Amino acid sequence: MDDDRISELPDDILSYILTMLSIKDLLKTSVLSKRWCKLWFLMRDLHFDIHNVIESEKELLEKGHLTDVTRYSRTDRCVDLDLTPKEFVKRVDQFLNNFHGTSIDSFFVNFYLDCQQSNTIDRWINFAMVRGVERINLLFLGRPYVHRTAQNKHYKFDSALFSETNASTLKHLHLEYCLVCHPTNGNFTLFKNLRSLTLRWTKLDEMFIESLLSNCRYLEKLCLIFCEFKSSMPKIVSSSLCHLKIFPCYLVSKEGYRLDVDLVLVDCLKLISLEYHGYGFDTLKLNTPVLKNINFSVSLEELNAFVTLCATFPELEIMHLDIFLKVTTSLKITQQLKHLKQLNLMICNPFILDNEECDPLWILNILQASPLLQKLTIMYTNSNFITNQKNIRDVEMFSHDEVKVVELGGCVGNWFEIEFVMNVLKYAHKLEQIVVSPYWREDEPSDWSHDSVWFQSGRKRMSEKLQEAVGLEKLVLI
Amino acid sequence: MAEEKSQASSSKMLTLKASDGVLFEVELNIAKEMKTVQAYIDDCEDIETIPIPNVLGKHLAIVIEYIKKTNEEYDAEFEKQWNMDDLQLLLLAANYLNISGLQECLCKAIAKRIENKSPEYVRKVFNIENDHSPEEEAKLRKEYKWAFEGVDKD
C-alpha cells in the first residue's frame, strides 16, 4: 500500500494552493526545491492587501497597528501611522521582480497609497498590462480600515502611460481614491475593450466619462460613487451600457465647499438596471426603454412624479425606493406600474411627531397601482414609537390579487404598522405570508439594528390588536 | 411521459469501482457531481459499473460522503479529521473526479496547515527533495530575509 502513496501533487493543483498563501509564505516556497521555485509563476491572479503582504488582522490588532477609534458614536478601525506604505511597496516589488509568469488574469491592490508612490504604481500597472491582465483593481483607501494622515494628493492615473501597444486586454477597471485624467495622448486604446468601470472617491473631469462612453463600444457597467467632478455630472449616453450606478457625486467650489452634482441625462437603449442616489429628479431625462430594475432615493413629494415616470418603462419589474418621509398627505398614484413584480421600500428616519398628521396608507396606493406585484418589502429605518396612537381603520377600498409575500422591517408597533398589516391580511387575496420584524439596516455591509421597544411592548401590542384579524395564520411576528 | 422518465433516472443507481476493487452504489445525481463520471456516462449511456482506477476505496467513500453532506458547516469540520497524507490523496481524487467544491475545500485546508511553517516542515509534508545547492538556498534565504522571520516552531 505504501507504494501507492503519491508524494507530490501536480503543478496546477500546487499553484492553486499557492494562491491561498500570504506573500510571506509564498516567497518561502521558492526555497523548497527547484520545481517549487517556478510554481508560483503559474499564478494568474495577483492580489495584494494588508493581510497577505503585511500581517493578518489578528496580528495587527495584537501589535497595536490596528486600533478602534470611536468618534460621534461611530467606531472606525484605524491603521497606525507607523505602518507606512514603504514596507508594503517593498514586499510587493520583491514579489513582482521575481515573478516570471508571462500571463495573468487579474491584478488587485488594496492599500492606502497616493501620489508619493506614483512611479511604483505606474510600474505595477505596466507589469500587469504587459502580461495581458483583464481585471485591475487599484483601491487606495485601504478599506475597510481608515487611515488618518495628512491628505496627500491622489495617485494620478494616466492611461497614456500604458498604451504602448495598440491592443488592450483590460476588461474591468476599479479605481478608488485616484485622480483620473484625460489621456495625455488623447487616445482611449487602453479602454477599448472595457466591460465595466467603477470609480469611487475619484476625482475627474466629466468630459473623460463622456469621451469614454463614446469610445467604449462594449462597456456594460458603470459605477460612479462619491466622485468629484469639475463642474457637472457627465451625460450618460451609451448604446452598450446595461447597468448604471451613481452615488452622490459633487464638485468643489472656488471657496472650497462641496456642492451636489445632479444626474441630468441617461440615454441608454440597452440599460437594464439603474441605481441613483442623488437629487435633481425633476430635471432628470431618462431614455431607457428596456429598464427592468430601478433603485432611487426620492422625497415623498416626488413620489407620484417618480411613479408616473416608472410607468413609462414597459419592462420594469423591480423597484427599490429610499423615501425620505416628512409629513404625508393623501397621495394619489395616477399611473399603473403594469409589470412590476417586486417592490422594496426603505422609509428613512420616519420621525413623526405625536400630533402630526400621518397617513401611511399611501403604501397601499402603490400596491394598488402594481397589479402584478408578487413581493413587497418595507423597511423603516430609525423609527420611533408614537405615544398618541390612533385608531386602526379598515380601508375597504383596497384589494390585491397577486401579491404573495410581504415583509416589514424596523417595526416598533406603531398604529400605522398594525393598520397596514390588518388591511393587507384582509384584502390581499393571494397572500401566502406576511413577516413583521423589528430588524432593519441601511445597506448590505451594515449590521442589523432594532429598537428594543418592540420586544418590550410593541410586539405584544401588535399581537393583541390583530387577534381578531382575518387571515391571521399568514402572519409571522419576529 | 417525460416526467416519469426523469423521475426514474434521478433514483437510478450506479456502481463505482475503486482501485482496490471496493464497490460503491450511488444515486445518479450524486455521481453526476463528479464531472469525470458525468463524462463517462455521456459517452456510454448504458454503463452500470464505472471503474475509478486512481482512487482507493477508503478515499472514494469519503468523497461520496462529502458530496452528500456538503454545506458550510460540514465543510468547516470536514478537513479537521484527516492527516496531511489523506488530505493530499483526497485532493488527487477530487482533482481526478473533477469535483470543484471539494477541491477548493481541500486546497484551503492544506494552505491553512502550511501557513507560517518553516520550509523544512513543508518539505516533510509534501515529501519534497531539496535539490537546491547550499549556495542557491542561502541566496534565496538572504533575498527574502523578512519572509523567514517569525516562522512557527516545527
Side-chain angles (χ1 to χ4, degrees):
Chain A
M1 276 293 114
D2 274 346
D3 302 320
D4 289 335
R5 208 199 74 173
I6 299 142
S7 52
E8 279 184 10
L9 297 159
D11 278 7
D12 57 340
I13 298 185
L14 287 176
S15 72
Y16 185 56
I17 295 177
L18 289 179
T19 63
M20 299 176 183
L21 297 176
S22 69
I23 301 295
K24 193 176 176 188
D25 286 322
L26 202 60
L27 291 176
K28 277 194 313 214
T29 66
S30 48
V31 149
L32 294 173
S33 77
K34 286 198 203 294
R35 175 197 178 203
W36 276 81
C37 217
K38 301 195 189 112
L39 271 177
W40 53 295
F41 303 160
L42 295 174
M43 282 172 71
R44 300 194 62 84
D45 299 299
L46 306 181
H47 298 182
F48 306 101
D49 62 37
I50 196 171
H51 298 309
N52 71 2
V53 175
I54 307 286
E55 263 161 355
S56 71
E57 186 169 38
K58 188 167 153 228
E59 287 165 326
L60 287 168
L61 283 167
E62 276 170 14
K63 293 192 185 168
H65 288 308
L66 271 185
T67 46
D68 288 332
V69 175
T70 307
R71 248 177 24 158
Y72 309 121
S73 76
R74 188 192 137 125
T75 306
D76 289 325
R77 187 152 274 184
C78 302
V79 177
D80 191 357
L81 290 172
D82 277 347
L83 199 61
T84 63
K86 258 194 192 156
E87 191 62 29
F88 181 89
V89 164
K90 177 177 145 217
R91 293 180 184 187
V92 174
D93 265 345
Q94 195 169 52
F95 179 96
L96 296 178
N97 286 335
N98 291 299
F99 180 83
H100 297 308
T102 51
S103 166
I104 62 170
D105 293 330
S106 66
F107 186 85
F108 293 178
V109 177
N110 182 353
F111 199 80
Y112 50 94
L113 298 174
D114 52 44
C115 60
Q116 296 191 311
Q117 290 86 30
S118 264
N119 292 332
T120 306
I121 301 169
D122 289 343
R123 257 190 304 113
W124 289 353
I125 300 173
N126 216 40
F127 173 96
M129 291 300 305
V130 154
R131 282 162 181 77
V133 74
E134 284 191 4
R135 286 176 186 268
I136 293 184
N137 282 13
L138 300 174
L139 313 180
F140 295 150
L141 276 175
R143 286 191 304 144
Y145 306 125
V146 174
H147 184 237
R148 296 181 197 286
T149 186
Q151 291 282 294
N152 288 322
K153 280 183 155 173
H154 300 62
Y155 163 74
K156 188 165 133 178
F157 183 91
D158 182 0
S159 62
L161 294 174
F162 319 112
S163 311
E164 267 176 19
T165 62
N166 235 4
S168 173
T169 49
L170 193 62
K171 289 203 176 127
H172 304 276
L173 180 62
H174 182 161
L175 301 174
E176 259 177 39
Y177 201 67
C178 290
L179 193 151
V180 178
C181 58
H182 217 87
T184 49
N185 57 5
N187 105 40
F188 281 78
T189 319
L190 185 77
F191 306 109
K192 217 168 56 174
N193 291 312
L194 213 59
R195 302 294 196 268
S196 79
L197 175 66
T198 302
L199 300 175
R200 198 184 172 108
W201 289 115
T202 291
K203 187 171 164 174
L204 69 161
D205 187 323
E206 51 275 20
M207 281 298 297
F208 173 79
I209 298 289
E210 289 177 8
S211 304
L212 189 88
L213 288 172
S214 52
N215 275 284
C216 295
R217 289 175 42 220
Y218 308 109
L219 193 70
E220 286 170 11
K221 183 172 167 187
L222 177 63
C223 300
L224 301 169
I225 302 176
F226 308 126
C227 290
E228 180 186 328
F229 289 108
K230 194 157 169 219
S231 55
S232 65
M233 178 77 77
K235 297 190 179 67
I236 314 291
V237 179
S238 160
S239 55
S240 59
L241 204 65
C242 295
H243 305 283
L244 178 63
K245 191 192 250 196
I246 299 184
F247 274 59
C249 297
Y250 59 95
L251 58 82
V252 177
S253 70
K254 270 179 288 196
E255 301 82 24
Y257 298 122
R258 275 194 190 171
L259 300 171
D260 289 320
V261 149
D262 301 334
L263 185 63
V264 286
L265 175 65
V266 178
D267 185 355
C268 302
L269 297 178
K270 284 202 179 148
L271 203 73
I272 301 174
S273 77
L274 172 60
E275 182 169 351
Y276 176 56
H277 301 287
Y279 301 99
F281 175 69
D282 43 346
T283 49
L284 176 60
K285 280 193 173 62
L286 296 178
N287 182 13
T288 53
V290 297
L291 197 66
K292 270 208 165 78
N293 190 327
I294 195 166
N295 185 334
F296 261 57
S297 299
V298 292
S299 68
L300 203 64
E301 292 84 38
E302 292 170 327
L303 191 60
N304 195 25
F306 180 74
V307 172
T308 307
L309 174 66
C310 287
T312 65
F313 303 131
E315 316 249 341
L316 195 69
E317 284 181 14
I318 305 175
M319 184 190 289
H320 182 116
L321 279 176
D322 290 350
I323 302 186
F324 297 91
L325 207 65
K326 287 176 204 168
V327 179
T328 65
T329 52
S330 63
L331 178 82
K332 265 217 174 88
I333 309 284
T334 48
Q335 292 281 355
Q336 283 222 326
L337 295 163
K338 290 203 185 73
H339 297 263
L340 201 66
K341 297 223 170 72
Q342 186 173 317
L343 175 60
N344 304 332
L345 294 173
M346 188 144 92
I347 302 177
C348 304
N349 297 342
F351 191 85
I352 302 154
L353 295 175
D354 286 350
N355 56 0
E356 236 174 328
E357 270 306 305
C358 180
D359 185 4
L361 287 181
W362 55 270
I363 304 176
L364 289 178
N365 285 343
I366 303 189
L367 205 57
Q368 194 88 346
S370 320
L372 293 183
L373 197 75
Q374 304 281 304
K375 184 172 177 189
L376 171 65
T377 310
I378 304 172
M379 193 169 286
Y380 291 101
T381 68
N382 265 331
S383 201
N384 65 311
F385 189 78
I386 307 168
T387 43
N388 244 354
Q389 295 283 324
K390 297 218 170 96
N391 287 326
I392 295 160
R393 306 160 292 174
D394 186 328
V395 180
E396 278 179 17
M397 292 263 286
F398 168 72
S399 128
H400 204 276
D401 286 324
E402 280 290 331
V403 69
K404 296 194 173 65
V405 178
V406 177
E407 290 172 4
L408 259 76
C411 294
V412 292
N414 276 328
W415 66 269
F416 50 81
E417 295 163 15
I418 302 173
E419 187 177 87
F420 178 78
V421 172
M422 193 202 84
N423 283 289
V424 167
L425 281 173
K426 196 164 176 191
Y427 297 113
H429 306 297
K430 288 260 171 71
L431 187 73
E432 286 167 12
Q433 198 183 65
I434 175 166
V435 180
V436 181
S437 146
Y439 298 108
W440 63 272
R441 66 175 172 186
E442 292 222 22
D443 37 38
E444 292 291 299
S446 307
D447 287 325
W448 293 95
S449 322
H450 70 280
D451 193 324
S452 54
V453 74
W454 171 260
F455 291 110
Q456 283 158 10
S457 58
R459 188 183 187 284
K460 191 166 160 227
R461 193 181 126 76
M462 184 173 279
S463 174
E464 280 168 12
K465 296 267 170 190
L466 290 171
Q467 252 172 13
E468 305 292 313
V470 173
L472 192 62
E473 68 279 1
K474 300 177 192 163
L475 175 65
V476 176
L477 281 178
I478 304 289
Chain B
M1 265 285 124
E3 262 184 48
E4 275 176 27
K5 191 174 175 201
S6 65
Q7 249 189 343
S9 60
S10 69
S11 58
K12 181 180 167 196
M13 301 300 271
L14 209 65
T15 305
L16 301 176
K17 184 171 166 189
S19 61
D20 48 4
V22 182
L23 297 170
F24 294 91
E25 228 184 69
V26 289
E27 284 176 12
L28 191 65
N29 56 345
I30 301 281
K32 280 182 169 193
E33 291 293 313
M34 310 179 198
K35 297 210 179 71
T36 308
V37 171
Q38 170 75 72
Y40 214 104
I41 301 171
D42 287 344
D43 275 346
C44 352
E45 276 183 13
D46 290 329
I47 195 100
E48 285 197 355
T49 304
I50 297 177
I52 314 278
N54 297 13
V55 186
L56 285 170
K58 79 167 187 171
H59 293 124
L60 192 54
I62 298 170
V63 167
I64 293 169
E65 178 97 355
Y66 176 89
I67 298 173
K68 284 184 186 165
K69 291 198 180 159
T70 180
N71 63 34
E72 247 180 70
E73 269 180 54
Y74 183 80
D75 286 11
E77 292 301 312
F78 175 75
E79 56 99 354
K80 292 183 189 167
Q81 316 168 48
W82 319 114
N83 65 33
M84 222 6 157
D85 279 350
D86 279 329
L87 274 185
Q88 292 181 67
L89 290 168
L90 283 168
L91 182 50
L92 278 166
N95 182 246
Y96 171 74
L97 293 166
N98 203 345
I99 309 165
S100 51
L102 181 56
Q103 282 185 76
E104 172 110 11
C105 176
L106 291 166
C107 283
K108 278 196 185 144
I110 294 177
K112 214 163 106 181
R113 291 202 195 180
I114 59 173
E115 215 170 79
N116 214 30
K117 293 284 188 287
S118 71
E120 290 75 27
Y121 180 94
V122 178
R123 279 199 202 109
K124 226 166 61 183
V125 155
F126 288 111
N127 203 13
I128 301 168
E129 200 187 300
N130 184 2
D131 54 356
H132 279 309
S133 73
E135 296 82 33
E136 279 171 349
E137 184 171 334
K139 187 171 157 213
L140 286 165
R141 277 182 185 264
K142 189 173 167 209
E143 179 148 8
Y144 306 136
K145 194 159 150 242
W146 64 270
F148 290 92
E149 288 163 12
V151 158
D152 287 349
K153 294 258 181 287
D154 290 353

